[in-house]
Every structure is written in structure tokens, then in C-alpha cells.
Amino acid sequence: MKRFVFTLKAVYDIAVSNEKQQKNLLRKIEDRIRFLYGKLENMLSELSDSRARCASDVDAGTDALRLAQYARYFESREELIAAQKQSIALAEKEREKIVEALVAIRKEIKSLESLREKQYEEYLAEEKREQEQAIGDVVSYQVASK
């Protein structure tokens, strides 16, 4: 009795390996996105604190030079925040590509699993035919020898 061998096992193994790689990439990019969002939150918090300090300085009667410094600082912080938001958007696009690749790989794995099941069913049917043939041969031999 021969053993069942899936003819596309190498392709299946490669697809499973690719899936693991994509999942690892997805985990890394999601960690990176969380880090970028945390950094953005810190930047926004710092900006908010600085605006509150500026408002209290204005209430206390600060000079024009100090207000100009605040304005330049706010402008530079807003530019950094915009750059951070752009970094987040790029990372999210990268995550979308990885998710799309994962979906495609998962579809490939499902189709390969389906093919494996069909091949296994054909193998079982062939084994059953061979067993029936062997039983038929034994019965024919016994009938012929009587």
C-alpha cells in the first residue's frame, strides 16, 4: 500500500512560510504605527502645554519678542506634527499592502488545502479500488481452486 503524497506540498510549504513572514511584517508595522501615534500624542501634548504657557504669559503681559518666539516655536511644532502625521499615513499604507498580501497568500493556501483534500479523496478511492481488486482476486482464486 503506497503512502499519500501531496504533489504540491513544496508550493504549500512556501505559501505557509510566506504567510508567517507577512504576519511578522504586519506585527512589526503595527508596532511601528503604535510608536508613531504615541510620539504624535506626545507632540500634541507638548504643543498644548506650550499654548497654555503662552496664554498665561500673554495674560501676565509678556513682551512682543517673547510672543514672536512662541509663534516660531508653534510653527516649527506644527510642521513636526504634520510630518509625523505623514509618517503615520505612510506606515498605514504599508500595513494595507501587507494585509492585501496576506489575504492573497491565505487564498492561495486555502486553494492548495482544497487541492490536497481532493488528492487525498482520490488516493482513498484508489486504495479502495485496489483493496476491492485484491479481494476479488482472492475470491476468484478460491472459487477457481474448488
Side-chain angles (χ1 to χ4, degrees):
M1 187 183 295
K2 63 181 179 175
R3 285 185 60 224
F4 172 71
V5 177
F6 179 46
T7 57
L8 296 174
K9 181 160 177 31
V11 175
Y12 177 80
D13 290 344
I14 290 170
V16 169
S17 174
N18 286 342
E19 180 186 33
K20 286 179 186 177
Q21 288 175 342
Q22 291 298 318
K23 283 182 178 180
N24 286 336
L25 285 174
L26 182 61
R27 255 190 304 280
K28 286 179 183 178
I29 194 72
E30 286 176 344
D31 288 345
R32 185 168 159 237
I33 289 172
R34 274 191 292 279
F35 172 77
L36 291 172
Y37 270 115
K39 196 171 175 183
L40 177 64
E41 295 228 358
N42 288 340
M43 294 169 105
L44 291 171
S45 176
E46 285 177 17
L47 182 63
S48 176
D49 292 345
S50 296
R51 287 185 192 270
R53 248 183 280 119
C54 178
S56 68
D57 284 355
V58 167
D59 289 343
T62 190
D63 61 352
L65 180 62
R66 183 82 172 147
L67 288 176
Q69 288 174 338
Y70 272 122
R72 284 192 303 275
Y73 174 77
F74 293 147
E75 186 178 322
S76 70
R77 297 313 287 173
E78 287 171 357
E79 288 173 1
L80 288 173
I81 288 170
Q84 186 70 11
K85 286 179 180 179
Q86 189 172 10
S87 295
I88 290 170
L90 289 173
E92 287 180 344
K93 284 181 183 179
E94 190 175 335
R95 179 179 58 189
E96 286 176 23
K97 288 179 184 178
I98 293 170
V99 167
E100 289 173 5
L102 259 173
V103 168
I105 290 170
R106 195 68 211 139
K107 285 180 183 178
E108 180 183 4
I109 289 173
K110 288 284 186 189
S111 65
L112 289 168
E113 288 172 346
S114 175
L115 285 171
R116 184 187 184 283
E117 287 178 25
K118 287 179 184 177
Q119 282 186 2
Y120 186 68
E121 288 172 6
E122 291 172 4
Y123 165 78
L124 292 177
E126 181 64 30
E127 286 294 310
K128 185 177 178 182
R129 278 193 296 276
E130 287 178 9
Q131 287 177 354
E132 288 173 355
Q133 179 68 33
I135 292 171
D137 290 347
V138 170
V139 170
S140 296
Y141 176 73
Q142 287 177 349
V143 170
S145 64
K146 286 187 182 180

